[in-house]
Amino acid sequence: MVTEAGDLDIDHIVPLRYAWGHGAASWSAQKRARFARDPVNLLPVSASANRSKGARGPLDWLPPDPGFRCQYVLRFRRIAASYGLVQSAAEERELVALTGRVCGA
């Protein structure tokens, strides 16, 4: 349980650096700013969890709470799709498989 504001970070579900490498580099400055401030892509988390995640996506990092993993992966995929981020065919296959594993589908 977090009791001090300094122990919290605001996490980008889809990290900015991850987005940059998956298509955001070609976006307009306006679209990048909208993405960075989109409340759907922001989540208050413990600072330690945010730092352990870094710029990684769900294929390389999952929340420590197994009960939140399904929601996290689904939200990540929904945000990435809504902004038109590009996944390789292999990444997309792995994300589909991961979704099945963490969501029980």
Side-chain angles (χ1 to χ4, degrees):
M1 182 165 122
V2 176
T3 59
E4 298 292 325
D7 294 336
L8 282 177
D9 276 355
I10 299 300
D11 178 42
H12 288 89
I13 299 288
V14 178
L16 301 177
R17 190 176 334 149
Y18 180 96
W20 186 266
H22 288 83
S26 65
W27 294 350
S28 68
Q30 181 181 17
K31 184 173 180 179
R32 285 195 302 270
R34 188 173 72 244
F35 177 79
R37 294 188 302 255
D38 187 340
V40 173
N41 193 30
L42 299 175
L43 184 70
V45 299
S46 72
S48 62
N50 194 29
R51 287 177 182 87
S52 76
K53 175 185 172 189
R56 296 181 288 173
L59 296 177
D60 299 312
W61 182 90
L62 290 171
D65 178 0
F68 183 65
R69 290 177 182 168
C70 176
Q71 180 181 344
Y72 166 77
V73 171
L74 291 174
R75 192 164 164 184
F76 182 98
R77 292 182 67 201
R78 188 171 47 252
I79 293 163
S82 73
Y83 279 91
L85 295 175
V86 179
Q87 309 289 341
S88 71
E91 285 174 316
E92 185 58 32
R93 280 191 305 274
E94 290 179 48
L95 284 168
V96 169
L98 175 63
T99 303
R101 285 193 305 275
V102 299
C103 296

